[in-house]
Amino acid sequence: MVLGIRLEVRQSQQLVMTPQLQQAIKLLQMSNVELCDFVANEVETNPLLTLDDAPGLAAAPEETAPPADSTATDDRVTAEGDLTLAADTFDTGGENLHDDSASDAAPDLAQPGPGDGWSTVAAGGNHGFAEDGADFNATLADRPSLRQHLLDQIGQARADNVTRQIAALIAEDLDEHGFYRVELELLAARLSVSEAAVRPALELVQACDPTGVGARNLAECLSLQLAEQQLLTQPMQALLDHLDLLAKGQIPALCRACCVDRAALSAMLAELRALNPRPASAFHHETAETLIPDVFLRRAPWGGWQIELNSETLPRVLIDNHYAAELESGGEDAREFVSNCRNNANWLIKSLDQRARTILKVTTAIVRHQEAFFQEGITGLRPLTLKMVADEIEMHESTASRVTANKYISTERGIFELKFFFTNSIGPDDSLSAEAVRHRVKALIDAEDPAKILSDDAIVDILQRDGIDIARRTVAKYRKSLQIPSSVDRRRQKALSTV
């Protein structure tokens, strides 16, 4: 074999991901909130871009505006603003049909007055807040954390400085439930003090509000609360010492350990249920984030479904041609700069428009496949894969996956993530979805007789009689995914509930 240097001309094909194409792909998998942040950043970097205050879809560039494309191909599912199918159905012109817009679908709601309850405000609506532009988060009180709450009490306690400093360190090491899990010997060794100096500091923390904080286990937490209410009797202390019997549901053994009868034990358990096993739970102030849907699904006047994007959350981008003309008068360099900015702006607007159309196409295909779910509920959910949707809309499977990521649809049955409608099939004929079977398992367990708890084998027998061929391990997997305990644990819980 002879090694040498030579020139060759070869012709080959390869896919090159340009920055613009990468940008368009990233826009597909963004939620509306992320999209608004991305567009706002683009507006800051591109002087030709401006944001229109009026809500709506992104404006297409004048010179490259593509024609509107109807994505509806079913006589019962139409995309946003598409009355062509309705005109064909009713054998009339589109001008004679009324288009149900978001403002026509529901009447305007009055803002709640001082005497009105929150039930008068529509769920998910912004009535009462959009008029004055007030920020709802600004009305939330700045409540202190558990750490700050304890440090304020420790600083005002009558104790020496060393005890208060050790108590402050203990307050720093509390877990999310308010328990102190560190051994006192380890704390004393870490601080180079005796255990006798650490114990008063722990008692100082346990004397703070809320009662039970600083306990080293559940029994101590409950005993602190019972002692404050003067309910810590000798039988109650015996009950706290045998919480393991209570967890196992061994009621007769528990009665013998506490030296009480079943009626007295029932009264003691009622007192325990009134206590707080997690004293720090009141100090978790995580504000619930409002889930904003990306797509709305409404019943159309002709009996089908109407799909439309949530235009209020989509940015409307415009190109400032007047400012562009002023910049172009600055010379060749300025014209080249304006040309680059204009191309980037046009590509961004095209990408936003393509993103909106792709979301409508994918959502329309999902609604068409899962129409039984919107009519019947979870039992009507059918097996659906990304490949089935991708083949229908003639796109790649990865594109459908990006479109359904972090997207939510608002329906009559609630707000669902688009990924929710993709479920595997069960059975030889692929007619049952895994989600529907999982719901059936939950319904059987919820309706079971307390005197006859259903085992996984019994659930399999019931499902097989209904024509659902499923294995026992599959039932166990679905039960665990629903966080439902086993039949043995459920039997204990039912037994405790009757005491």
Side-chain angles (χ1 to χ4, degrees), residues 160 162-163 166 184-185 187-189 192-203:
D160 56 88
V162 175
T163 302
I166 298 176
L184 296 183
E185 295 83 355
L187 178 62
S192 300
V193 297
S194 63
E195 185 178 347
V198 173
R199 191 168 297 277
L202 178 62
E203 294 175 354

Side-chain angles (χ1 to χ4, degrees), residues 37 60 87 135 143 159 359 383 482:
D37 294 339
D135 185 9
R143 295 175 291 180
I359 292 176
L482 295 170

Side-chain angles (χ1 to χ4, degrees), residues 227-291:
E228 183 186 43
Q229 302 175 17
Q230 298 181 355
L231 297 176
L232 189 59
T233 61
Q234 185 175 358
M236 184 65 76
Q237 184 62 52
L239 175 59
L240 296 178
D241 294 338
H242 295 84
L243 289 179
D244 56 334
L245 297 178
L246 180 62
K248 297 177 181 179
Q250 300 180 3
I251 304 303
L254 200 58
C255 291
R256 291 192 299 269
C258 299
C259 299
V260 295
D261 56 8
R262 193 180 183 89
L265 181 62
S266 177
M268 294 165 60
L269 292 179
E271 294 175 355
L272 282 186
R273 293 188 182 101
L275 304 178
N276 185 7
R278 299 179 180 87
S281 59
F283 289 86
H284 290 287
H285 310 313
E286 296 181 359
T287 305
E289 297 182 359
T290 303
L291 192 60

Side-chain angles (χ1 to χ4, degrees), residues 48 63 319 321 324 328 338-347:
L48 301 186
E63 59 272 26
I319 298 179
N321 292 320
E328 288 178 341
V338 170
S339 177
N340 294 332
C341 291
R342 190 188 298 274
N343 291 335
N344 293 333
N346 286 334
W347 183 266

Side-chain angles (χ1 to χ4, degrees), residues 296-331:
F296 291 109
L297 178 68
R298 298 185 177 94
R299 290 188 181 273
W302 51 89
W305 300 100
Q306 185 174 2
I307 303 171
E308 60 182 74
L309 294 174
N310 187 2
S311 58
E312 294 185 357
T313 61
L314 291 177
R316 183 179 177 84
V317 185
L318 301 176
I319 298 179
D320 192 347
N321 292 320
H322 297 286
Y323 185 61
E326 294 179 1
L327 292 178
E328 288 178 341
S329 60

